[in-house]
Amino acid sequence: MDHAADAHRTDLMTITRYVLNEQTKHPESRGDFTILLSHIVLGCKFVCSAVNKAGLAKLLGLAGDKNVQGEEQKKLDVLSNEVFVKALISSGRTCILVSEEDEEATFVDPALRGKYCVVFDPLDGSSNIDCGVSIGTIFGIYTVKDKNEVTINDVLQPGKNMVAAGYCMYGSSCTLVLSTGSDVNGFTLDPSLGEFILTHPNIKIPRKGKIYSVNEGNAKNWDGPTAKFVEKCKFPEDGSSPKSLRYIGSMVADVHRTLLYGGIFLYPADKKSPNGKLRVLYEVFPMSFLMEQAGGQAFTGKQRALDLVPTEIHQRSPIFLGSYDEVEEIKSLYAAEESKA
């Protein structure tokens, strides 16, 4: 990238301008989605600022409570959750919110309701906060049939029904990756402007990749297909070079790298976590949606991830997502295992 030339660019595609351009393609649109997204973007900017100042503001360390998953809550987790809940409610465009940090879904006051459900993990990878590793926010958006008659079933929809999904990664730069169902675009926060600028237009994941991403510490508990796949990554049978292992332990960062460079991200079920570890609504679905829009695949070990119909808001699932060919190989290993049974 030519940074000198970039500094003098005057025709910047901001995320607001991008979404407004998309809105013009839908003459029936009333701008509700644009308003909702601007509130999500504001939440991301707020959390980015808090993450950058965390050490100075004594926001590091534990808040003293455990969240619904039984994980110790970080002070930044608590703050991020409050920021997004308030931003989403105040948009006037949401009717039900599901956050990783809250045991129950939040039903918005009828006077402030709109037609959207938002599911989100306000601060993914929070165990990495204290050591400065990239963390992020993940979100997915659904519409409801009737905002005046909202039930929990309005949010327990398969991932393929999402109208948009994205994540914001707080790392060496603040990057927001978004898909509204046609393609995937990446925006980077320019701190001098306070705006997200389009830096990664129309992201397409390579069909094959040289990187695999998995927590090998769980290897002794893996099922057969996962163990075979990882073995093939390390000791290819066709004489090709082995794949490189890259695992950060922050889903946003691991998936972001997979999306840009290709490869596969695995969080399989194992003997310790027979249903997998990652949550369906606000981790598996949004990332699977983005991966498919970018030309990749997402698989649970049994089915296409976006076809899964959740029965509870904090349900978990195994997930394999990434380059088309890599996921295809995982699928064939599971099919072979099933045919033996």
Side-chain angles (χ1 to χ4, degrees):
M1 187 183 282
D2 185 347
H3 290 289
D6 214 43
H8 298 290
R9 280 172 61 204
T10 51
D11 187 26
L12 296 172
M13 177 63 80
T14 66
I15 193 164
T16 309
R17 185 176 156 196
Y18 170 80
V19 175
L20 286 169
N21 283 358
E22 289 297 300
Q23 189 184 311
T24 60
K25 297 174 187 173
H26 303 277
E28 75 288 354
S29 170
R30 291 174 39 236
D32 287 346
F33 181 75
T34 306
I35 291 166
L36 172 61
L37 204 63
S38 71
H39 280 72
I40 291 174
V41 167
L42 177 63
C44 291
K45 288 179 186 173
F46 191 112
V47 174
C48 178
S49 171
V51 167
N52 289 339
K53 304 189 292 213
L56 295 171
K58 292 195 171 66
L59 287 165
L60 299 177
L62 301 173
D65 288 318
K66 290 192 175 181
N67 69 4
V68 60
Q69 315 299 340
E71 299 160 342
E72 292 280 2
Q73 277 183 302
K74 298 278 184 178
K75 291 177 186 175
L76 265 175
D77 284 10
V78 179
L79 178 73
S80 305
N81 192 45
E82 283 179 13
V83 165
F84 279 102
V85 168
K86 285 175 180 169
L88 291 165
I89 291 174
S90 66
S91 73
R93 301 300 183 274
T94 59
C95 54
I96 179 171
L97 312 176
V98 173
S99 165
E100 188 211 20
E101 297 298 330
D102 296 328
E103 192 162 354
E104 303 291 334
T106 300
F107 288 88
V108 179
D109 186 290
L112 290 170
R113 273 185 194 169
K115 65 178 180 180
Y116 293 105
C117 300
V118 183
V119 293
F120 60 99
D121 183 347
L123 207 60
D124 177 72
S126 52
S127 62
N128 287 320
I129 292 169
D130 289 2
C131 59
V133 170
S134 295
I135 50 182
T137 299
I138 309 173
F139 61 90
I141 303 171
Y142 293 97
T143 52
V144 294
K145 293 188 184 78
D146 182 359
K147 67 180 183 183
N148 299 312
E149 295 290 330
V150 187
T151 70
I152 198 67
N153 290 328
D154 284 301
V155 88
L156 295 174
Q157 301 185 50
K160 63 186 177 188
N161 292 358
M162 278 184 171
V163 293
Y167 61 80
C168 187
M169 185 175 73
Y170 315 112
S172 54
S173 59
C174 180
T175 307
L176 196 152
V177 174
L178 173 73
S179 175
T180 54
S182 51
D183 48 18
V184 181
N185 291 284
F187 302 82
T188 304
L189 183 63
D190 181 335
S192 61
L193 296 174
E195 288 279 6
F196 279 100
I197 309 298
L198 181 63
T199 50
H200 297 75
N202 196 16
I203 297 169
K204 292 290 176 203
I205 185 169
R207 193 168 172 108
K208 269 184 88 67
K210 295 177 180 171
I211 295 171
Y212 72 103
S213 184
V214 66
N215 183 354
E216 290 227 34
N218 293 329
K220 70 171 188 176
N221 296 315
W222 286 344
D223 61 15
T226 303
K228 276 184 199 149
F229 179 82
V230 172
E231 187 72 7
K232 280 187 176 181
C233 290
K234 294 196 265 194
F235 305 99
E237 293 160 359
D238 59 3
S240 60
S241 299
K243 293 189 193 309
S244 298
L245 169 66
R246 297 283 184 273
Y247 186 68
I248 298 163
S250 178
M251 190 190 190
V252 169
D254 279 314
V255 170
H256 185 66
R257 185 199 54 248
T258 305
L259 195 59
L260 296 184
Y261 299 162
I264 187 164
F265 171 85
L266 310 89
Y267 213 119
D270 58 34
K271 290 171 196 156
K272 213 169 50 175
S273 308
N275 297 318
K277 195 92 184 286
L278 297 176
R279 271 69 66 152
V280 172
L281 276 181
Y282 41 79
E283 290 176 325
V284 170
F285 278 170
M287 294 309 201
S288 299
F289 185 90
L290 290 167
M291 216 38 97
E292 284 199 5
Q293 292 299 326
Q297 291 194 79
F299 178 62
T300 67
K302 292 179 180 169
Q303 64 186 124
R304 174 193 177 207
L306 293 180
D307 287 339
L308 190 64
V309 182
T311 54
E312 53 186 82
I313 61 173
H314 297 297
Q315 187 173 324
R316 298 171 190 258
S317 170
I319 186 67
F320 305 88
L321 52 81
S323 294
Y324 192 94
D325 288 357
E326 318 296 345
V327 179
E328 204 57 30
E329 192 168 338
I330 276 277
K331 283 160 80 173
S332 67
L333 287 168
Y334 272 97
E337 178 99 345
E338 207 172 302
S339 65
K340 279 189 227 160

